[in-house]
Every structure is written in C-alpha cells, then in structure tokens.
Amino acid sequence: LMDIPWTALKPEILRAMVEEFITREGTDYGAREAAFDTKVEQVLRLLREGKAKIVFDSETESVDIREVR
C-alpha cells in the first residue's frame, strides 16, 4: 500500500474520492444519519487533521481512505 497525501490531489479529485468513499455500501457514520455534505466535510476534516489517510493498492489498483491508528 502506498500513502497518497491528500494535499497532492486537486480539490475536485479529492472531493470525488471522498464522495465515492461515502457512498460505498457498509460505511458507518454512527447512530444518526448525517447529510451527505456533512459526511464529506467530516471525512475531509479527518484527512486535514491526520486522523485518516488515502492509500493506493497497486495490486487491486484501488484507492481507499483509512483511519490512522
């Protein structure tokens, strides 16, 4: 896996990536459902704060956003 700095992405690409991540089946945002734009902002905030990161898997040629542990 290769980390991709969110700052290296154009804003429209970053937003599209976050939106795709949010719409994946099984993504959980807690007990209450939040508005879509709110979810986007939550993920962007996690990336800015270093609590999440973007990773590229060269084997599957896919991108994911993961929590930093």
Side-chain angles (χ1 to χ4, degrees):
L1 296 176
M2 179 188 334
D3 290 354
I4 306 295
W6 67 270
T7 55
L9 301 172
K10 292 182 179 181
E12 60 271 14
I13 299 297
L14 177 60
R15 183 169 179 95
M17 189 178 298
V18 170
E19 288 178 356
E20 189 276 333
F21 172 75
I22 290 168
T23 58
R24 287 184 198 163
E25 185 176 14
T27 304
D28 183 17
Y29 290 90
R32 283 195 332 202
E33 185 64 25
F36 186 77
D37 286 338
T38 301
K39 293 177 186 179
V40 170
E41 288 305 315
Q42 288 172 344
V43 174
L44 289 171
R45 185 176 69 253
L46 291 172
L47 288 167
R48 285 192 299 267
E49 293 174 353
K51 295 179 181 176
K53 64 181 178 177
I54 299 169
V55 294
F56 174 72
D57 184 336
S58 60
E59 285 186 24
T60 62
E61 296 185 354
S62 63
V63 176
D64 197 11
I65 298 174
R66 298 196 176 165
E67 183 180 4
V68 173
R69 297 179 188 250

